[in-house]
Amino acid sequence: QVQLVQSGGGFVQTGGSLRLSCTASGTDFSIADVEWFRQPPGMQRELVASISGSWSSTYYADSVKARFTISRDNAKNTVYLQMNSLKPEDTAVYYCKIAMSYGDFWGQGTQVIVAA
């Protein structure tokens, strides 16, 4: 019974900031690799950022480097995606995913809309 619950997201103007949260239950979160994906309207889902469970090493897509920051708080079973200097092209539904040895589990998704 692994569940991921997302919060955050919303509607912002260009240059604004949002912080997404993803809280896990039913698994040992501290060992999980966590990824943030997004799916813009009419486009395929793409990987935005990831953080490992072993050393908390991070990865960012070129399109979000220097603007987005992924972090985790294992005591709260939560991973965050801080999004700064948002652009209209960041508009998408954002999903978190944890990758366990026995399978992948997804959050419900949250909408981010950035208006010019």
Side-chain angles (χ1 to χ4, degrees):
Q1 190 179 6
V2 178
Q3 294 183 331
L4 300 179
V5 178
Q6 298 180 219
S7 62
F11 184 96
V12 297
Q13 298 293 316
T14 297
S17 298
L18 290 170
R19 189 168 83 158
L20 307 182
S21 298
C22 177
T23 300
S25 62
T27 188
D28 186 354
F29 177 78
S30 65
I31 66 172
D33 298 329
V34 184
E35 298 172 314
W36 286 99
F37 288 81
R38 68 184 182 188
Q39 187 165 20
M43 300 179 64
Q44 294 185 338
R45 191 171 298 180
E46 63 181 354
L47 178 64
V48 176
S50 65
I51 185 166
S52 71
S54 55
W55 300 100
S56 294
S57 57
T58 58
Y59 161 85
Y60 298 96
D62 288 342
S63 59
V64 306
K65 286 181 179 177
R67 299 190 298 119
F68 290 12
T69 302
I70 189 171
S71 62
R72 66 193 301 159
D73 185 341
N74 289 338
K76 297 181 178 179
N77 288 349
T78 299
V79 65
Y80 304 96
L81 185 67
Q82 178 67 45
M83 305 184 294
N84 298 326
S85 301
L86 284 163
K87 305 174 181 179
E89 52 262 44
D90 296 319
T91 295
V93 177
Y94 285 71
Y95 301 88
C96 62
K97 186 191 80 173
I98 60 171
M100 307 298 295
S101 62
Y102 48 88
D104 298 337
F105 301 90
W106 293 82
Q108 80 277 16
T110 186
Q111 177 71 253
V112 171
I113 300 175
V114 185

